[in-house]
Amino acid sequence: MTNRVVIKFGGANLASGEKVAQAAQMVADANYKEIIVVVSAMGKTTDGLLNTTLQIGDVSDGDYAELISMGERVSARFFCSALRARGAKAELIDPCGDNWPLITNSNFRNAKPDMEKTNERTKKFIAPLLGDTIPVVCGFIGKDPSGRITSLGRGGSDTTALVLAKCLDADEVILVKETSGVLSADPKIVSEARSLNKLDIREMFDLAQGGAKIVKPEALRYKQPNQMLRVVDFSSGNLSVGGTE
Ligand code: ASP
Ligand code: MG
C-alpha cells in the first residue's frame, strides 16, 4: 500500500449525481493513508460554459478564466458533500479560499504554474490536512500573483493533479478515466486494440502529443521519476489495483 496518492476524476466520471456518488464511494473505499482528490468539471460543463462565453462576444481574458472556472468550482463542492455523506472528512480547496495552493502567471487562458510559490503553498496548506482530511481541489484553475483566477487550458485538471503530486512528493497519481486503461491502438481503427498494463512515460507522452485523449501532454512534464502514475477505468469501481501503469 502506498501512503500518499493524488486521485483525479475526469468530467465523464462526474457526469451525474449518481456518478459523483460512485466516485466518492471509490475514494472512501480506497486503501490509502493520505488522499488528495482533484476534480474536473461535471460532464460537458466546460464546453457549455465556453459556448456561452463565445456567444457573449468580446470577453476579456480575465473574465474568460473566471467564467470557465465555474465548472470545477461546482463539481468540487458536490464531491466534498458526497464524501461527507459517506462518513469521510473532506475539505473544499477553492480559489476563493486563503489556502488555495496553485499559483500561476497571468496568462489567463493558458496559465503556467509558478512552481516555487505553488510548492510553498501546497506544503503549507495542503500537506497538514493529509491523513485526517481529504482535500478536494478544483482542477484546471489557478490564481495569479494578484489573486485573479487563471485557467490552465483545456484538460488542465491533469496538470493540477501532477503539479500537486510533485509538491507533495506523492507516491502515486491516479487518473480515473472512462476507458479500460491505455490501449495499444485506437480501437476505432484497430479492432484488437488491447489494454496495456504498463508503458514508458516517453511513450505515454508521444501518445498524448499524438492526440490520444488520455492525459494532457504538458501535465506529464511534472511527473516525478519515483512516482507511480496509473490510468484507471472508472467502471472497475476499484482504485487500488489495475489500470495502466
Ligand atoms: N474541465 C476542463 C476541460 O474540460 C478541464 C479538464 O477537464 O481537465 O477542459
Ligand atoms: Mg473537463
Side-chain angles (χ1 to χ4, degrees), residues 54-148:
L54 288 173
Q55 286 159 4
I56 288 172
D58 246 341
V59 290
S60 68
D61 292 348
D63 281 359
Y64 166 92
E66 179 70 56
L67 292 166
I68 61 162
S69 76
M70 294 315 294
E72 275 70 13
R73 301 183 70 183
V74 170
S75 68
R77 282 161 172 80
F78 275 112
F79 206 100
C80 249
S81 297
L83 278 175
R84 291 188 191 122
R86 279 151 192 83
K89 212 166 146 194
E91 184 171 330
L92 172 70
I93 308 294
D94 179 273
C96 70
D98 293 334
N99 61 352
W100 178 255
L102 211 156
I103 306 301
T104 68
N105 63 11
S106 303
N107 183 2
F108 293 100
R109 292 176 190 252
N110 208 355
K112 192 171 181 292
D114 177 329
M115 287 309 285
E116 204 179 304
K117 292 202 180 90
T118 301
N119 188 34
E120 200 183 298
R121 294 180 65 87
T122 304
K123 287 195 164 69
K124 184 165 169 195
F125 297 121
I126 308 299
L129 299 173
L130 302 178
D132 176 64
T133 302
I134 301 175
V136 179
V137 186
C138 306
F140 175 54
I141 51 186
K143 246 157 79 168
D144 81 351
S146 321
R148 295 170 298 184

